[in-house]
Amino acid sequence: MSTRLHGTIKPIAESSVAVVVGIVAGAFLMLAFGYDPIRAYVALFYGAFGSTSGILESLAFATPLMVTAVTFAVGVRAALFNIGAEGQMYLGAIGATIVGGAMFLPAGVHPIAATLFAMGLGALWALPAAVLKIWRGVHEVVSTIMLNWIAFWFVTYLVRTYFGEPGRAERALPALPTARYAVIGETLTTVILVVVVFCIAVTVILWRTGIGFELRLVGDNPEAARYAGASASKAILVSFLVGGLAAGLAGASQILGRPPSWTLYATLGNLLNLGFNGIGVALIGKNHPIGGVFAAFFYGGLLHGGRFMEYNVGVASELVQAINGIIVIALAMPEVIAIIRKRRES
Amino acid sequence: MQAVIILVVVVIAAGAAAAYYLTIPQAPSVKKIAVVSDIGGRGDLSFNDMGYKGGAQAEKDFGVQMVELISKSEADYVPNLETAAKDPDVILVVGIGFLLTDAINQTALKYPDKNFAIIDGFVPGLPNVMSILYEEHKGSAIVGALAALTAAYFNYTHIGVVLGIEIPVLWKFEIGYKWGADWALKWYKNKFGTDAPSIGATPVKDRVLWTYTGTFSDITKGYEAAKAMYAQDAVAVFNVAGPLGLGLNRAVQEIAQSKSVTMGPPFWVGVDANQDWINPGFVLASMMKRVDKGVYFATQLVVQGKFRQVVAENGGIVTLGIGTTISGISIQGISVSTLADLDEFIQMGVDAEKLTGKKVLPGTPDEIKAKVAAMRDALPSWVWDAAKELEDGIRNGTIQVPLAIEQSVVDQWRAILG
Amino acid sequence: MTPRRRLQWYIVGIVITLALMYVISLAGFGLPGLIETGLLAMTPLALAAVGECLNEQAGTVNVGMEGIFLITAVLGVYWAEVFGSGLYGLLFGALMGALIGLAFGVICVYGKANQVIAGMGLNIFALGLGPFLLMSIWGFPGIHIFSQDLMFQPLRFNIWGGFFSISPVTISAIILALLAYLLLKRTLFGIRIRASGENPIAVDVAGVSVARIRVLMCVVGGALAGLGGAFMPLGWFGGVVKEISAGRGFIALAAVVFAGLNPILALVASFIFGFSEAVAFTFVVSPGVKEIIPFYFVQMMPYAVTLTILTAAIGGKRFPRALGKPYVRE
């Protein structure tokens, strides 16, 4: 089979195997407690993908995941572990709230301005991790985890103190009608188009521009990159900035593009874990922005489908998160089959 | 290559299983009521669990089946409500909690033939939505009075309240509680001619220690907040944060063990459900918000075919309080726990024990009742008399408890009462 | 920075903390109560942090401690009910943690998995498994309160004019921190552990299995985190909720980094974080004081402090060279 085709099918197969492992493990968990896994999964997948409204809703859940996946993926491409999507997303959300909820702009301009501002704040929050890495060699796993939590408390503070909706202290100022994206159906809005375009743009940057090439070179082969004159610092900076823009967009999508509330809750509950789930999505999508789009659709389906599983069979929908976790762990193991084969040979 | 083959086999097998299951005849349809809970979800021993209790009671009495949908994040509200509304067997969709307001609004507009009810939410004007509100401020005032007088009797300088997420519903609790405490101390002065000891001497604005923890699920915060309040000489802390009551209880337990006492002080005050049984002797009383009665009432109306009529008669808003009557049916929506109520909730515990085979109650029903009775007797009768006087005044309208649901009103009262 | 300078910095830090405590006691905020709470909050953090120090010294980083907390909290309560004893609950909680650590170790060492991803996967998995277990075991979503006599009782001393209680688990945490430090610094095995993280080739050449050491440390780290997780319901709260850990696993991670993988410093850091949380609550409920520092900034503190320490690189090099890299024999 041609290498190009093989190169596309192999990663899909690998991801699919990991997904199957997760689903089978979930089935065992259900069996262990006396639930019927087949009925449960049928309910889940049929509910998530078996009707128009199900698909629309799955897409709505998938939208932010597509971009938080980019955050992680573009990090991996530069051999970085940017797990700061959570924090960068929170900043993006508060940015969208500030421009989308507290400022008055004409209808055509408003969503664009709010989205751009949100993306900018997300990128801003990614900067410290990048700078610390370049300047002081601080490992980005630790710095991004710390920054995530600092962002959590900082944004909570901002929502409660300055940007709370008057009379509704549990949430921030909702996005004004002029700032909202158009509703397509259920809770899906046209912001998904912006997100997909963004993913395509990142793909283009990574594979068709000089800076993208440098970034990937630094990630794949630091030695060769050095000889070629590619700057590791630039790669790190670009990777974090793009990641921050992506996460900021994810945050904006939940404020400007998610009915019925169009707002950020003071518990940040409508954003929590979207960043972490983005890691799983990125892995399933093999760290490729377009792969991430499809993987996000699948993941979004799982997140949406869980309630049908709960409604019809009584399985706690949190099991879906457990399945996601197993998929991530399975994907953390590279080339397991190759290893098994090697051991068998030796 | 092998992976691909395995994959194809798996997918075909899955598809076959799915097809098989989809063709199995469905069970005969039963009328259902769908209860959609908020993110804190069930297990809070108060708000959401009371909603469940109401549904369970309706199941028994009306032969309907209750199905639950638990919201894991705010993004789940609409999908959950839609799932319930789409099911043709569902005759009533109940949203438990103020945070579901927008979602109920949107879904009710989309499904005008379905009946909706929301607890604590305000969705007026839709013919298919009943907003069930409660007069928490009135009940909170009574427990505030109880707490303040208990502080006076035992010579403590403060009382406390631990709240969850700062939503307008909780403002009612907060201001009602503080107002009630103030009323009680004025009553004391009136009756005994002098200022109440200890707490009476504390400046008005400092008497009630309060904080919003920002969560309805992180028990540690309840524990730490309460512990800090008890350390500052609070005799009783009112739990307005659902499961955080566990944390309050923990703090009380620690103090009780270190002082080797079997009944308070210190006390905590339960909320929504009757929580007196959780730690008998240390729970001064519970401010019961009968969410269960609200859910039950809505179901009853639907089963009797009167739902839309009652909604129309009352403009969609049904307010349950102390001694209220809605369209001729009397419902006690708010009350402060009495020994009689205790029986009902102890029975729930007994049933739970039978069901799971595990110990739930901290003693036999008689032991629990005895401890609670002993605690009540340890307080002088004037404390209970004052509470009764306040309750009667509220009931017949001679006493007005401030209702604070706007920021400006809240700020006004905070300026006076702390 | 020389060890001497480092020691001076830490003495400064301890002095500042003691001064703060003195001020607090003067202000009448009930210092013994605060210390009690601080010790309680410290215990799960310290246990996980000490375990993670050992883990990371050997070269495997486990960011999944939050996940271990969640799972062992629920399972610890389950086993406590099965055996009717809080002690057994704690022991089995530690055992569950050890098993998770074993699985993690095998996956990372033999499966050559990416440790950070596997750790994140563990967190995500636990986020789902915890509530699922709560519902499936007890049929009651979100929370489970168990009988009070299953609580693992603390010891009580009559000092400072009142009762002071401290749990044996807390004392164990302190002892374990000391033991871990001695293990690392003063035993041959400790040298091998540290070498596995710094220079695994040397260990391999010496004929010792790097894989075994790393997996063993993962088991130990998991066991300690498991004990910490089970402690939360059984030794502290009296009940288990689906969010019982509330991010503490990440604070433990911060403590580990803050301490430069030194178990004793990790203990100190855990206490500082736990104590500051207790103090924050006191501020937040005190009329007059609550306006001074917004509560949210106090909650931010452990993370901000750690980040600052990392930036200023106090204490020099913080991580073993081979940390996070699966060891492959060339």
Side-chain angles (χ1 to χ4, degrees), chain B residues 39-233:
Chain B
I39 27 173
R42 288 272 318 283
D44 56 3
L45 296 178
S46 51
F47 194 61
N48 286 300
D49 285 343
M50 285 292 270
Y52 178 80
K53 176 174 183 292
Q57 190 66 39
E59 258 188 344
K60 259 192 261 169
D61 290 352
F62 303 122
V64 293
Q65 184 198 352
M66 176 177 60
V67 284
E68 276 191 283
L69 283 150
I70 303 178
S71 308
K72 302 303 182 313
S73 83
E74 290 85 348
D76 290 323
Y77 295 156
V78 167
N80 279 344
L81 287 169
E82 291 250 346
T83 309
K86 284 204 190 105
D87 189 340
D89 296 330
V90 167
I91 57 173
L92 172 67
V93 180
V94 185
I96 310 278
F98 167 79
L99 292 169
L100 276 85
T101 305
D102 295 325
I104 288 259
N105 210 335
Q106 178 171 317
T107 318
L109 281 168
K110 196 167 166 191
Y111 296 90
D113 295 330
K114 272 285 194 282
N115 297 317
F116 291 86
I118 177 165
I119 307 281
D120 279 354
F122 189 71
V123 184
L126 289 177
N128 57 341
V129 179
M130 177 182 287
S131 304
I132 303 177
L133 303 175
Y134 290 84
E135 297 183 315
E136 299 93 339
H137 53 296
K138 296 186 177 170
S140 302
I142 301 177
V143 294
L146 265 179
L149 292 177
T150 308
Y153 177 66
F154 285 112
N155 280 310
Y156 280 72
T157 49
H158 296 93
I159 58 175
V161 55
V162 172
L163 305 127
I165 299 179
E166 192 170 347
I167 52 179
V169 179
L170 262 62
W171 282 334
K172 293 195 251 176
F173 286 90
E174 180 202 331
I175 303 297
Y177 184 70
K178 291 176 181 171
W179 185 92
D182 191 55
W183 178 93
L185 293 173
K186 291 197 179 108
W187 176 93
Y188 185 99
K189 181 151 187 186
N190 229 344
K191 179 162 175 108
F192 294 110
T194 68
D195 278 331
S198 303
I199 190 168
T202 316
V204 177
K205 286 181 73 170
D206 294 343
R207 284 177 187 156
V208 181
L209 304 172
W210 59 282
T211 181
Y212 282 91
T213 57
T215 167
F216 284 118
S217 46
D218 188 1
I219 298 188
T220 336
K221 298 228 162 62
Y223 167 78
E224 293 180 334
K227 192 151 178 187
M229 291 180 187
Y230 290 121
Q232 295 208 41
D233 210 37

Side-chain angles (χ1 to χ4, degrees), chain C residues 98-188:
Chain C
L99 286 173
I100 298 177
L102 178 63
F104 181 76
V106 165
I107 288 176
C108 291
V109 174
Y110 292 105
K112 306 277 186 280
N114 185 305
Q115 292 163 19
V116 173
I117 298 180
M120 292 300 315
L122 180 56
N123 282 336
I124 299 175
F125 174 67
L127 268 174
L129 189 68
F132 174 76
L133 286 176
L134 272 175
M135 182 67 191
S136 312
I137 299 178
W138 291 292
F140 202 79
I143 192 175
H144 178 66
I145 311 178
F146 47 86
S147 158
Q148 287 299 304
D149 30 282
L150 288 178
M151 288 286 293
F152 190 65
Q153 298 299 334
L155 305 168
R156 271 175 207 98
F157 307 99
N158 198 344
I159 51 173
W160 290 336
F163 277 95
F164 185 75
S165 75
I166 183 169
S167 175
V169 181
T170 311
I171 299 176
S172 309
I174 299 175
I175 296 177
L176 284 166
L178 289 165
L179 285 177
Y181 178 76
L182 291 171
L183 175 73
L184 285 173
K185 290 280 199 230
R186 302 243 187 251
T187 66
L188 177 61

Side-chain angles (χ1 to χ4, degrees), chain A residues 149-343:
Chain A
W149 284 96
I150 294 176
F152 178 80
W153 292 110
F154 181 55
V155 171
T156 307
Y157 166 70
L158 287 177
V159 171
R160 286 189 186 276
T161 320
Y162 295 111
F163 297 105
E165 185 181 354
R168 294 283 292 264
E170 84 280 8
R171 59 190 210 181
L173 295 166
L176 294 167
T178 48
R180 300 177 187 176
Y181 284 88
V183 178
I184 299 177
E186 305 294 331
T187 63
L188 180 65
T189 61
T190 49
V191 77
I192 190 174
L193 299 171
V194 177
V195 165
V196 171
V197 166
F198 182 83
C199 292
I200 296 176
V202 173
T203 312
V204 166
I205 293 177
L206 281 177
W207 275 277
R208 297 248 181 250
T209 66
I211 184 70
F213 177 72
E214 275 187 64
L215 193 153
R216 286 183 297 118
L217 191 59
V218 167
D220 278 334
N221 197 339
E223 298 284 312
R226 233 198 318 246
Y227 284 130
S231 156
S233 306
K234 190 156 53 144
I236 295 175
L237 199 61
V238 170
S239 172
F240 269 103
L241 282 178
V242 171
L245 288 172
L249 179 57
S253 75
Q254 296 307 289
I255 309 295
L256 309 168
R258 203 86 191 261
S261 336
W262 313 92
T263 182
L264 178 60
Y265 284 88
T267 55
L268 303 191
N270 49 336
L271 293 178
L272 278 178
N273 292 322
L274 289 176
F276 291 133
N277 282 327
I279 298 177
V281 173
L283 288 172
I284 296 180
K286 289 294 178 216
N287 296 319
H288 189 293
I290 303 299
V293 169
F294 291 104
F297 181 46
F298 174 71
Y299 233 76
L302 283 182
L303 287 177
H304 177 48
R307 82 189 76 256
F308 300 101
M309 189 172 68
E310 195 166 15
Y311 190 69
N312 290 312
V313 185
V315 178
S317 61
E318 286 95 344
L319 184 66
V320 166
Q321 279 291 60
I323 295 175
N324 289 345
I326 296 179
I327 296 177
V328 170
I329 296 177
L331 286 170
M333 291 191 274
E335 325 268 343
V336 177
I337 299 178
I339 296 175
I340 297 177
R341 210 176 285 153
K342 227 187 279 172
R343 282 189 174 252

Side-chain angles (χ1 to χ4, degrees), chain B residues 43 210 224 232 250 257-258, chain C residues 143 156 163 236 281 286 290:
Chain B
W210 59 282
E224 293 180 334
Q232 295 208 41
R250 193 81 217 104
Q257 278 169 341
S258 69
Chain C
I143 192 175
R156 271 175 207 98
F163 277 95
W236 189 4
F281 267 102
S286 310
K290 54 164 77 171

Side-chain angles (χ1 to χ4, degrees), chain C residues 296-330:
Chain C
Y296 311 100
F297 289 100
V298 183
Q299 290 286 80
M300 249 191 241
M301 239 186 42
Y303 311 103
V305 167
T306 305
L307 205 54
T308 318
I309 301 271
L310 270 182
T311 315
I314 296 180
K317 185 169 62 65
R318 308 200 71 79
F319 295 113
R321 223 170 297 156
L323 182 64
K325 300 196 186 80
Y327 176 60
V328 179
R329 198 181 276 164
E330 304 279 326

Side-chain angles (χ1 to χ4, degrees), chain A residues 80-173:
Chain A
L80 295 168
F81 273 115
N82 183 356
I83 45 181
E86 290 279 323
Q88 292 149 26
M89 179 178 55
Y90 303 151
L91 265 294
I94 196 74
T97 304
I98 294 175
V99 175
M103 287 186 173
F104 294 95
L105 293 170
V109 175
H110 209 169
I112 303 176
T115 310
L116 288 175
F117 186 68
M119 289 167 71
L121 277 192
L124 200 67
W125 196 252
L127 266 186
V131 166
L132 286 177
K133 171 105 189 167
I134 298 173
W135 176 43
R136 298 296 260 167
V138 174
H139 200 284
E140 67 278 6
V141 167
V142 182
S143 63
T144 49
I145 291 182
M146 297 300 124
L147 286 166
N148 282 345
W149 284 96
I150 294 176
F152 178 80
W153 292 110
F154 181 55
V155 171
T156 307
Y157 166 70
L158 287 177
V159 171
R160 286 189 186 276
T161 320
Y162 295 111
F163 297 105
E165 185 181 354
R168 294 283 292 264
E170 84 280 8
R171 59 190 210 181
L173 295 166

